[in-house]
Amino acid sequence: MAVRWLCSLFGKPFDGGKRMDNGSQHPSMARLHEIQQEIARLGQQVCAFSGLQCDREYRRLERELTRLQLEVDQVETEGKAELQQARKRAAQELEGLLRYLEENATHPSRLAIEELSQEAQRLVEQGVVEPQRSGAAEISDELVDAIQELVLRLTQVKTGGRVPLRKARYRALTRVCAVQDVMEGRARQQTLPLPLSEGTHAAVQRINQVMVQVSGARSQLVALLMGLSGRDSCAHLSRVLTELLVELDALDVSGNASVRNYRKRVVEEINGLLKHLDLEGEGDDTCRYDLAQNDSIRQIEAVRGRVGQLLGEVLRQAGAGEFYFRPKAELQSLLTHLDEVDTARNPCIREARRRSVLELQAIITFLDLREALERRQPGMEEHPSHRAVWQVLASLSDLQARVLGFDGKRADKSYMMLEELLTKQLLALDAVDPQGDQMTKAARKQAVKLAQNILSYLDMKTDEWEY
């Protein structure tokens, strides 16, 4: 990845300079070649860096690149064009790396990621760490909801395809999602029956003690994930939990199924914590944060490609007044395929799948409404208010076709026009008086929901979300 990026930024790789006519390399060219090797080494580190300007690694990289700039300036060219070109090229590459390093560290999206990470830290400290110190252990529903909202906001941070920004977003998501998982584990534990009485079996006392230690380790893990525990380390906590597993394994619980099940439950709790502790190298695997390479994303994109083909044909026939192409069965099978896509608890993949599902559901809803409008045979005794709702539904069907085919931005006039027309349909529905007719009430309620869903879909199509 780093090598490809360097080539795309600087063009043809530096070749170490041309040989002089006498077959030996000029000392200045040899020095430039050595500098170029250092540039290549630092370039990979710059491409992998996903931190901020205040980080120690940033200052080190900046210092090393600046040092090389000074060394390049000191290379004597003796007026030779080939030496001048080689020196200029090295200087340009160093300038490009410094600029790339600074742009990523100060990018608005990188700062947004940091702000959200700090917000998560505050929530965890106030809702988990501080209560644990005071002896309280219960996780509030408000905290769980707040963390879930943070996860969603992180997935919506734009990276513009920049690898360092993708990496920073992935690292933040990994930790917040791990905290979310640990909190859900504790919430489940709060609903479980109390531990067994120590008189049940000789091993129960020790299992109960381990359970207390696991509860403390859970809060310690959350603090570690959020960077709130300066003295401890993931490796230390991993050793402690592994020792507890060994101790539990050594207990003799034969002959008592309830005690065995109790021990099994505690072992599962420990294993659930251990899976979140291998975070030191998290994010270094490109396939983890560059989701364009992810197999699940590729499956989702394949479904979206087919959906686009089906939608194009549906809209073409709808525009021509024809309606014999009804691919609902295939659309339903694509929905089933999306349900089977493994998200690996990755919130970005979950969001990608959710959006694809909404795209499919929007087309299915459009087809259902068109079929309902075709089958509609109003009688002479139809309630006037009920007829008015159907008139709005017919307008909504036409607007939905335009929304499904919309491929612009929120600043476009066509977007604002669609938004205004949909809002007018909501106002028209609001003006319908059911006059006590229950069928009209139900129809109006469904029509309002449809209009709101179309507006939401239009909003989703234009929010410029990315993997």
Side-chain angles (χ1 to χ4, degrees), residues 82 133 149 158 161 173 195 228 230 233 236 304 341 415 438 450 454:
E82 54 197 356
R133 290 172 186 154
E149 182 187 354
K158 308 291 189 299
L173 276 169
L228 297 171
S233 68
H236 172 72
R304 291 191 65 211
V341 171
Y415 172 88
Q438 295 302 315
L450 172 63
I454 296 173

Side-chain angles (χ1 to χ4, degrees), residues 62 68 73 113 125-126 128 169 194 237 246 275 287 354 369 400 425 446 458:
E62 186 180 44
L68 287 179
D73 288 342
I113 293 168
E125 186 164 21
Q126 296 168 6
V128 179
R169 185 180 66 175
L194 293 173
L237 184 57
V246 173
K275 72 179 183 180
C287 292
R354 184 187 74 84
L369 179 55
Q400 189 176 22
Q425 298 308 313
Q446 289 181 341
L458 177 63

Side-chain angles (χ1 to χ4, degrees), residues 114-182:
E114 184 63 18
E115 183 178 342
L116 290 170
S117 297
Q118 290 177 1
E119 187 175 343
Q121 281 184 328
R122 289 192 294 272
L123 285 171
V124 168
E125 186 164 21
Q126 296 168 6
V128 179
V129 178
E130 290 179 359
Q132 177 69 19
R133 290 172 186 154
S134 61
E138 188 171 345
I139 298 290
S140 68
D141 292 338
E142 291 78 9
L143 178 61
V144 174
D145 292 341
I147 292 294
Q148 177 59 40
E149 182 187 354
L150 270 177
V151 169
L152 181 60
R153 287 164 63 190
L154 273 169
T155 64
Q156 294 172 340
V157 173
K158 308 291 189 299
T159 66
R162 288 173 176 256
V163 171
L165 296 181
R166 285 181 181 272
K167 189 173 181 179
R169 185 180 66 175
Y170 179 80
R171 283 179 176 272
L173 276 169
T174 298
R175 282 153 178 74
V176 176
C177 287
V179 167
Q180 187 181 32
D181 191 48
V182 173

Side-chain angles (χ1 to χ4, degrees), residues 259-299:
V259 177
R260 281 202 306 273
N261 290 334
Y262 180 34
R263 182 180 68 173
K264 179 181 177 182
R265 195 184 92 194
V266 178
V267 168
E268 289 173 349
E269 289 281 338
I270 295 174
N271 286 328
L273 299 181
L274 281 170
K275 72 179 183 180
H276 296 302
L277 283 169
D278 188 21
L279 292 173
E280 298 302 324
E282 194 70 55
D284 291 332
D285 183 356
T286 304
C287 292
R288 291 181 178 271
Y289 57 85
D290 187 0
L291 292 181
Q293 303 179 45
N294 184 278
D295 288 338
S296 295
I297 289 294
R298 286 172 177 166
Q299 292 179 50

Side-chain angles (χ1 to χ4, degrees), residues 18-307:
K18 297 179 180 178
R19 298 285 178 175
M20 304 301 289
D21 293 338
N22 59 5
S24 62
Q25 192 176 42
H26 194 283
S28 294
M29 190 65 80
R31 179 56 190 143
L32 286 171
H33 179 66
E34 293 171 357
I35 292 175
Q36 186 63 36
Q37 289 178 324
E38 290 191 65
I39 292 174
R41 176 181 58 81
L42 287 172
Q44 294 182 4
Q45 296 175 30
V46 168
C47 292
F49 178 73
S50 59
L52 299 165
Q53 279 186 312
C54 59
D55 294 346
R56 181 182 300 176
E57 180 66 5
Y58 179 94
R59 293 194 294 269
R60 184 190 70 81
L61 288 170
E62 186 180 44
R63 188 169 57 250
E64 289 290 308
L65 291 169
T66 303
R67 175 183 61 80
L68 287 179
Q69 277 187 318
L70 294 174
E71 292 187 15
V72 167
D73 288 342
Q74 293 171 358
V75 173
E76 293 291 340
T77 63
E78 300 175 0
K80 293 182 171 60
E82 54 197 356
L83 290 174
Q84 291 173 343
Q85 291 175 357
R87 188 176 70 172
K88 180 180 178 181
R89 184 176 182 80
Q92 288 175 338
E93 292 186 5
L94 285 166
E95 182 63 31
L97 285 174
L98 277 167
R99 185 170 58 251
Y100 188 76
L101 179 67
E102 181 181 6
E103 286 176 353
N104 288 317
T106 60
H107 195 281
S109 292
R110 183 62 187 89
L111 300 179
I113 293 168
E114 184 63 18
E115 183 178 342
L116 290 170
S117 297
Q118 290 177 1
E119 187 175 343
Q121 281 184 328
R122 289 192 294 272
L123 285 171
V124 168
E125 186 164 21
Q126 296 168 6
V128 179
V129 178
E130 290 179 359
Q132 177 69 19
R133 290 172 186 154
S134 61
E138 188 171 345
I139 298 290
S140 68
D141 292 338
E142 291 78 9
L143 178 61
V144 174
D145 292 341
I147 292 294
Q148 177 59 40
E149 182 187 354
L150 270 177
V151 169
L152 181 60
R153 287 164 63 190
L154 273 169
T155 64
Q156 294 172 340
V157 173
K158 308 291 189 299
T159 66
R162 288 173 176 256
V163 171
L165 296 181
R166 285 181 181 272
K167 189 173 181 179
R169 185 180 66 175
Y170 179 80
R171 283 179 176 272
L173 276 169
T174 298
R175 282 153 178 74
V176 176
C177 287
V179 167
Q180 187 181 32
D181 191 48
V182 173
M183 286 168 46
E184 289 174 356
R186 182 188 285 187
R188 288 192 299 270
Q189 186 190 31
Q190 291 170 182
T191 64
L192 292 174
L194 293 173
L196 296 176
S197 169
E198 293 183 1
T200 306
H201 192 279
V204 171
Q205 180 180 6
R206 183 52 191 147
I207 298 176
N208 287 343
Q209 292 172 350
V210 170
M211 195 65 168
V212 172
Q213 291 177 272
V214 170
S215 180
R218 185 178 288 106
S219 296
Q220 188 179 353
L221 172 58
V222 168
L224 279 168
L225 292 170
M226 288 290 96
L228 297 171
S229 180
R231 294 177 301 173
D232 301 316
S233 68
C234 290
H236 172 72
L237 184 57
S238 178
R239 285 194 299 271
V240 171
L241 291 172
T242 302
E243 289 171 3
L244 291 177
L245 283 177
V246 173
E247 188 173 347
L248 286 173
D249 186 60
L251 292 176
D252 182 11
V253 295
S254 59
N256 193 313
S258 60
V259 177
R260 281 202 306 273
N261 290 334
Y262 180 34
R263 182 180 68 173
K264 179 181 177 182
R265 195 184 92 194
V266 178
V267 168
E268 289 173 349
E269 289 281 338
I270 295 174
N271 286 328
L273 299 181
L274 281 170
K275 72 179 183 180
H276 296 302
L277 283 169
D278 188 21
L279 292 173
E280 298 302 324
E282 194 70 55
D284 291 332
D285 183 356
T286 304
C287 292
R288 291 181 178 271
Y289 57 85
D290 187 0
L291 292 181
Q293 303 179 45
N294 184 278
D295 288 338
S296 295
I297 289 294
R298 286 172 177 166
Q299 292 179 50
I300 294 171
E301 284 299 314
V303 170
R304 291 191 65 211
R306 180 55 183 158
V307 169

Side-chain angles (χ1 to χ4, degrees), residues 342-402:
D342 180 17
T343 64
R345 294 185 63 85
N346 186 310
C348 290
I349 301 177
R350 284 204 301 262
E351 179 66 8
R353 185 176 67 176
R354 184 187 74 84
R355 286 169 170 266
S356 297
V357 168
L358 289 177
E359 287 178 0
L360 277 164
Q361 290 174 339
I363 301 172
I364 292 172
T365 301
F366 172 71
L367 294 172
D368 287 342
L369 179 55
R370 280 297 173 100
E371 289 177 5
L373 288 167
E374 284 183 352
R375 292 196 307 265
R376 172 171 155 73
Q377 295 179 346
M380 296 294 295
E381 300 178 355
E382 184 179 37
H383 197 285
S385 298
H386 194 256
R387 187 181 303 113
V389 172
W390 274 102
Q391 289 172 349
V392 174
L393 284 171
S395 298
L396 285 174
S397 179
D398 293 336
L399 287 173
Q400 189 176 22
R402 292 169 62 180

